[in-house]
Amino acid sequence: TYVEGLYWLDEGRAGSIDAARKAYSQFDDLWQYKDHYRDGRKLQKEARALGIYNISVNWQNHSVMPLPPVVRYELQSQLYQDPWIRYESNEHSSFQVDGVLTIHLLDCVVSPDKWSEYTYPQKIDVQAGFKYQLDEEGHVAKDSLGDDIMVPVFRTLRATVTEVQQTKAIQIFGEVVLDDLRHGIFTKEAFDIEMIFDHRSAHFRGHIQALTPDAKRHLHKEPMPYPADEEMFQESLVDFGPQLRRLARKLLKQEII
């Protein structure tokens, strides 16, 4: 195992990431039998360093919206994690770069604030009491026991509901690009992000008893201020984290992992 580790380490020193990782694994197997063997620990540490794929992360914002550093850092922290990959921001890169992962924000489209009102009636029949049932001659009708027959009286309660729907949407278009400098391979994946602000509120006139449970859903809610364009842009990108992780994983799996 030590000899095999040396063999793969030499290949790793010649530039093969896969060989360096195999060397690391061979030395790892060695520790199952011995805690220390010659300079194995030192060589394994070297194999580890040679097997790391260093990625510089770069952001290119071509949209009209500002991209605060805090949003970039939040997204970068959600990138696909692998023990053999190390990320660093482009502006803070302090190691030999093996690949450049660039997130391009190409365009951003924001819809106008939309306000829609829907008015619809509601009604229900409720029992308001009883009255005597009369026979054909106008007398109070009797049942088989001789008691007066009484029948329920209903009245209709009505209400008018006005429901307000506020909507606003944003869509961001972009692509994630991996420039694999070690192998001279350039790959990319397109993406689009959509976020919709949708708020409902309602009020009514009339009898509240006339309202169905569905009609009551948005009562006691007031209209809200529309979110600013910049706020929606930043929230959309933060929510984009899991998708970005999948895209980065796809590109990295194809090329280097």
Side-chain angles (χ1 to χ4, degrees):
T1 300
Y2 178 83
V3 174
E4 291 175 341
L6 285 176
Y7 170 79
W8 289 117
L9 181 58
D10 284 339
E11 294 290 314
R13 288 166 174 164
S16 172
I17 283 184
D18 287 340
R21 294 174 183 177
K22 288 179 181 178
Y24 182 90
S25 180
Q26 289 296 326
F27 289 120
D28 227 21
D29 291 342
L30 181 61
W31 312 137
Q32 296 180 25
Y33 308 101
K34 296 177 178 290
D35 290 335
H36 297 280
Y37 186 77
R38 296 186 181 180
D39 54 352
R41 294 288 183 182
K42 177 182 177 182
L43 296 178
Q44 185 182 35
K45 186 176 180 180
E46 181 184 354
R48 168 70 180 167
L50 292 172
I52 291 289
Y53 190 90
N54 296 309
I55 296 179
S56 175
V57 181
N58 184 32
W59 291 85
Q60 294 293 327
N61 183 16
H62 307 282
S63 75
V64 296
M65 300 292 180
L67 180 62
V70 65
V71 176
R72 296 202 309 267
Y73 298 150
E74 171 66 22
L75 282 169
Q76 189 166 322
S77 70
Q78 297 189 52
L79 283 170
Y80 173 68
Q81 300 299 315
D82 184 276
W84 292 107
I85 295 176
R86 179 168 56 192
Y87 298 102
E88 193 161 336
S89 298
N90 186 49
E91 61 267 28
H92 300 128
S93 183
S94 60
F95 48 74
Q96 180 67 37
V97 173
D98 299 303
V100 178
L101 188 72
T102 305
I103 298 94
H104 293 273
L105 303 177
L106 302 175
D107 196 10
C108 175
V109 179
V110 183
S111 73
D113 300 351
K114 185 177 180 181
W115 177 288
S116 303
E117 288 192 10
Y118 310 91
T119 300
Y120 52 91
Q122 296 272 280
K123 67 177 183 177
I124 187 173
D125 292 329
V126 298
Q127 186 173 335
F130 295 89
K131 69 177 181 179
Y132 291 106
Q133 181 174 320
L134 303 180
D135 59 20
E136 295 178 353
E137 297 179 356
H139 301 125
V140 176
K142 305 289 185 178
D143 60 19
S144 59
L145 298 177
D147 296 324
D148 295 341
I149 297 176
M150 302 183 72
V151 293
V153 176
F154 292 91
R155 70 185 179 109
T156 301
L157 301 181
R158 301 178 186 275
T160 300
V161 179
T162 299
E163 188 172 311
V164 175
Q165 181 180 20
Q166 297 172 259
T167 56
K168 182 177 182 177
I170 186 171
Q171 195 165 17
I172 304 170
F173 302 92
E175 60 184 15
V176 181
V177 178
L178 176 63
D179 188 2
D180 182 359
L181 303 178
R182 273 184 174 262
H183 306 101
I185 299 173
F186 186 87
T187 53
K188 62 182 180 180
E189 289 284 339
F191 65 83
D192 67 87
I193 312 164
E194 185 176 24
M195 179 181 181
I196 299 175
F197 168 77
D198 186 346
H199 179 71
R200 310 290 181 96
S201 56
H203 61 272
F204 76 99
R205 297 192 316 273
H207 293 276
I208 192 170
Q209 299 99 313
L211 303 182
T212 63
D214 190 59
K216 293 178 181 178
R217 279 186 309 155
H218 304 298
L219 293 181
H220 311 299
K221 293 181 184 177
E222 297 294 332
M224 290 182 60
Y226 287 90
D229 295 356
E230 293 82 0
E231 179 186 350
M232 292 188 71
F233 179 76
Q234 294 172 23
E235 287 187 9
S236 299
L237 288 177
V238 172
D239 292 342
F240 172 58
Q243 184 181 351
L244 175 60
R245 182 165 58 250
R246 289 192 294 271
L247 291 172
R249 181 180 186 275
K250 182 178 180 181
L251 293 172
L252 295 168
K253 282 287 188 182
Q254 287 175 350
E255 305 301 338
I256 61 170
I257 300 176

